[in-house]
């Protein structure tokens, strides 16, 4: 069995890894907003940020699918965000979406450490209109702007507080935002930016491609050295011009953007003591010490710890490249740290830094502390529902033209998306066959339509776990994705996780699922209420199987790190004790004992310290597992009663993997003895 693991939201955990693309949410001016975030594996601290806005009546997914931005981000290593508009339309005259863009910038800086001097905005059609709007409203936060096939329909004035680098991309055959409106818009920006009114023209563009239908116009020598550009595509219509026979809009846009910066790079944090995510911290006053990659000035620095809406300001002082924050006495609980306006010696300013801490000592035990709030028994109704829709669930397939097919709670033996059952012993034994088939979209939802089967969640952090496997070879080869979301009863999202991967291939039979992708999606509930969960897919006849759904309260940092360490240490000691005396001289067993002794008295407040210890213990257990005494002497043995397999957290699994093998042996005296080993 092979079980792959993903985490759909970046979460502090030693047992999971982060996914590259996530569907995330922000609360802006009291309204929950959504965005699709792509963080390439080669992205690092201080990476640029590109925000790409879709057109009217489109979506973040549509814009992603019809552009090359994700591929460019993977190559260049910048963080990429596709925001979602409210009801698919942008506010191109007021502050609603300007504030959304500002919140995205701050959030990506806090989550991923993006370079605030290298933030870039682009948008298609109405997204291009928003790009111009932001060039006027927030030119101090965005280094360069690239509107595509969109310009202001009314007032075309250019009145931003600073001259801005701007490149406009448009097809001459556009019948929505017609090409004749481009030059009047650009003339205002050429004048505002102080550029030479006579453009340099490259035709065809690039000059190395004589067959290209693109032409580049460049107005140079602007204030602060900025430029205005027009990339013109002959006869192209109202779409992203990603034609490799000419040139690629997204590639050209990035090549233009990356030349510009708002100013000197902000000082970056290189060490944090206590580190982000630390726990068991004293409540009676301490210091937070941050070191930077340059000398700093904290004269204007603002720092605060926040818990449950209450804010505690922290006094800041700097010496050289060290920033020290004095922490007063606090109540026990989880706090979020924010630090702003740390100025570097080169003039750059750190706009925002975020971290999380838990003050007060937390006891943890051998059993992880969390509460399961939802774990449906989808096997219970096999006889009554069969391959149908279980009680409390609802399936709806929809078409873009409004057509739909619905199957309600308890519908028996339906076609299309429905329940499926599999052999016991696999990664999961029942789950939803998820496929849109001949519709455009399929959704299977719990908690929306049947009042007696609501999903009631209190305020707090939760984690939803489940498994998925490809239905057939075509789905696997096309790497089809599906979605998971938590929503309010009215359908508005609380947390959305898009483009989730799968593993394995059931080959369209109802055998055992011996390989799957294990998902862990963490989200936060701000208001106690009823909610619903939804699986969705928009891939036609392709399909995945999803099952094993469990929603539980999220473990605290102490549980994740200190608790996991304690449990792994207990397993390591138990394994060593099971090794016969004559085998304890073997090098791998000696190594296991040395690691156990090394961490026998470990006490720390830092996640990374426990993470290192857990890794060393697990590696030592794997190597020493062959000496654990599974090979029971034949004397007195009647036979093997059973073999069971468990992972390192104690959860039963289907077959040997990285985990524990438990072998029960029947002896002549009628007793059953259990032996185990790590594999």
């Amino acid at each position: 069995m092979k079980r792959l693991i993903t985490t759909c939201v970046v979460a502090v955990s030693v047992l999971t890894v982060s996914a590259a693309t996530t569907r995330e949410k922000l609360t802006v001016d009291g309204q929950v907003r959504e965005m699709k975030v792509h963080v390439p594996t080669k992205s690092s601290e201080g990476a640029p940020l590109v925000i790409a806005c879709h057109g009217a009546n489109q979506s973040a997914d549509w814009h992603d699918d019809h552009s090359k931005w994700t591929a460019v981000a993977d190559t260049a290593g910048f963080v990429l965000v596709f925001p979602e508009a409210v009801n698919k339309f942008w506010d191109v005259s007021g502050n609603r979406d300007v504030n959304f863009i500002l919140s995205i910038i701050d959030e990506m800086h806090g989550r991923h450490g993006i370079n605030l001097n290298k933030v870039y905005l682009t948008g298609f059609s109405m997204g291009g209109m928003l790009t111009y709007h932001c060039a006027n409203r927030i030119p101090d936060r965005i280094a360069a702007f690239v509107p595509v096939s969109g310009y202001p329909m009314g007032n075309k004035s250019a009145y931003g507080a600073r001259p801005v680098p701007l490149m406009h991309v448009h097809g001459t055959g556009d019948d929505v935002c017609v090409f004749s409106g481009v030059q009047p818009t650009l003339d205002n920006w050429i004048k505002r930016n102080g550029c030479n009114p006579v453009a340099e023209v490259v035709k065809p563009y690039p000059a190395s491609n004589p067959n290209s239908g693109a032409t580049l116009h460049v107005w140079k020598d602007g204030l602060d050295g900025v430029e205005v550009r027009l990339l013109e595509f002959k006869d192209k219509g109202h779409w992203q011009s990603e034609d490799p026979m000419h040139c690629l809009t997204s590639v050209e846009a990035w090549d233009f953007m990356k030349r510009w910066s708002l100013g000197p790079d902000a000082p970056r944090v290189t060490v944090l003591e206590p580190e982000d995510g630390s726990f068991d911290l004293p409540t009676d006053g301490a210091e937070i010490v941050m070191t930077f990659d340059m000398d700093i000035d904290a004269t204007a620095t603002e720092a605060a710890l926040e818990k449950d809406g209450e804010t505690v300001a922290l006094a800041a002082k700097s010496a050289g490249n060290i920033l020290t924050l004095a922490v007063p006495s606090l109540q026990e609980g989880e706090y979020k740290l924010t630090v702003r306006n740390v100025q570097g010696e080169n003039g750059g300013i750190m706009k925002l830094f975020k971290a999380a801490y838990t003050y007060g000592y937390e006891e943890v035990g051998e059993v992880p502390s969390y509460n399961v709030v939802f774990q449906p028994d989808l096997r219970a109704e096999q006889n009554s529902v069969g391959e149908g829709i279980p009680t409390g669930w609802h399936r709806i397939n929809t078409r873009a033209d409004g057509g739909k097919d619905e199957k309600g709670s308890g519908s028996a033996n339906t076609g299309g998306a429905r329940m499926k059952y599999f052999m016991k012993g696999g990664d999961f034994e029942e789950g939803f066959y998820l496929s849109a088939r001949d519709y455009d979209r399929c959704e299977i939802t719990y908690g929306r339509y049947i009042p007696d089967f609501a999903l009631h969640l209190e305020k707090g952090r939760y984690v939803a776990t489940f498994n998925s496997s490809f239905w057939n070879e075509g789905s696997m080869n096309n790497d089809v994705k599906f979605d998971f979301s938590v929503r309010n009863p009215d359908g508005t999202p609380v947390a959305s996780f898009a483009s989730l991967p799968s593993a394995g291939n059931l080959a369209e039979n109802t055998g055992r699922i011996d390989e799957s992708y294990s998902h862990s999606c963490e989200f936060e509930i701000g208001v106690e209420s009823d909610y619903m969960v939804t699986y969705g897919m928009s891939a036609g006849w392709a399909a995945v199987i999803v099952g094993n759904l469990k929603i539980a309260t999220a473990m605290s940092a102490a549980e994740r790190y200190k608790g996991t360490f304690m449990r792994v240490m207990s397993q390591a000691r138990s394994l060593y004790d099971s090794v016969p005396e004559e085998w304890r001289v073997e090098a791998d067993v000696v190594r296991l004992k040395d690691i156990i002794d090394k961490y026998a008295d470990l006490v720390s407040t830092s996640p990374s310290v426990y993470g290192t210890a857990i890794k060393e213990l697990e590696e030592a257990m794997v190597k020493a597992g062959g000496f654990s005494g599974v090979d029971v002497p034949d004397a007195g043995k009647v036979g093997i009663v059973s073999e069971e397999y468990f992972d390192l957290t104690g959860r039963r699994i289907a077959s040997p993997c990285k985990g524990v093998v438990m072998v029960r042996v029947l002896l002549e005296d009628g007793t059953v003895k259990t032996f185990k080993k790590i594999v």
Side-chain angles (χ1 to χ4, degrees), residues 457-462 486 494 523-528 531:
L457 298 177
E458 298 179 349
K459 182 179 179 180
R461 288 184 297 114
Y462 295 85
V486 181
V494 173
F523 59 95
E524 187 166 354
I525 294 296
V527 178
E528 180 178 354
Y531 294 89

Side-chain angles (χ1 to χ4, degrees), residues 288 302-306 311-315 325 335-340 353 355:
I288 297 174
E302 300 174 1
L305 288 167
E306 184 270 331
T311 300
V312 179
L314 308 181
L325 307 175
Y335 288 80
K336 295 179 181 178
L337 171 71
T338 57
V339 182
R340 301 174 186 271
F353 177 85

Side-chain angles (χ1 to χ4, degrees), residues 87-319:
N87 297 323
K88 299 187 176 182
F89 284 85
W90 298 108
D91 176 8
V92 296
S93 60
N95 291 324
R96 184 189 69 197
D97 289 319
V98 171
N99 291 342
F100 185 24
I101 298 298
L102 290 173
S103 295
I104 290 172
I105 295 170
D106 285 345
E107 194 71 14
M108 292 302 101
H109 181 53
R111 293 185 192 182
H112 304 296
I114 59 102
N115 188 332
L116 289 171
N117 285 325
K118 295 181 180 179
V119 177
Y120 309 103
L121 181 64
T122 182
F124 171 73
S125 189
M126 194 177 194
M129 300 176 194
L130 178 63
T131 301
Y132 275 110
H133 184 49
C134 289
N136 276 324
R137 292 291 183 92
I138 50 172
D140 58 324
R141 298 298 303 275
I142 297 173
F145 300 82
V146 181
V148 179
S149 301
Y151 47 75
M153 290 299 180
N155 185 358
K156 301 181 183 298
S157 298
Y159 55 84
R162 75 173 183 95
V164 297
L166 186 145
M167 182 172 83
H168 187 105
V169 182
H170 219 106
T172 63
D174 194 327
D175 60 352
V176 178
C177 292
V178 295
F179 187 73
S180 60
V182 174
Q183 196 61 52
T185 303
L186 293 182
D187 286 343
N188 289 329
W189 285 96
I190 293 166
K191 182 178 179 180
R192 163 65 189 91
N193 287 342
C195 297
N196 187 330
V198 179
E200 295 182 4
V201 179
V202 181
K203 181 180 182 180
Y205 180 81
S208 59
N209 180 8
N211 296 318
S212 174
T215 301
L216 179 67
H217 308 258
V218 184
W219 292 268
K220 291 185 174 181
D221 303 324
L223 300 169
D224 298 335
V226 304
E227 294 178 358
V228 173
R229 291 189 169 203
L230 168 62
L231 182 58
E232 169 189 332
F233 287 96
K234 183 181 179 181
D235 298 330
K236 293 291 184 179
H238 192 66
W239 60 77
Q240 285 273 143
S241 297
E242 302 288 8
D243 187 349
M245 292 298 293
H246 304 278
C247 57
L248 303 178
T249 295
S250 304
V251 172
E252 295 298 326
W254 171 244
D255 284 345
F256 175 74
M257 290 170 171
K258 68 184 181 183
R259 298 169 49 206
W260 310 99
S261 176
L262 287 174
D265 286 350
R268 293 192 306 215
V269 176
T270 55
V271 177
L272 178 63
E273 299 176 356
E275 70 182 51
D276 189 6
S278 291
F279 50 89
D280 290 351
L281 296 174
T283 60
D284 57 353
E287 289 184 339
I288 297 174
V289 180
M290 304 167 66
T291 65
F292 293 82
D293 59 353
M294 64 181 72
D295 285 350
I296 59 168
D297 180 358
T299 303
T301 297
E302 300 174 1
L305 288 167
E306 184 270 331
K307 179 175 78 77
D308 297 331
E310 297 184 3
T311 300
V312 179
L314 308 181
K317 62 180 181 180
S318 60

Side-chain angles (χ1 to χ4, degrees), residues 499-521:
S499 300
L500 300 182
S502 297
N505 175 13
L506 193 62
E508 297 191 34
N509 63 54
T510 53
R512 195 172 77 173
I513 298 177
D514 285 334
E515 183 179 350
S516 68
Y517 217 116
S518 182
H519 302 270
S520 178
C521 302

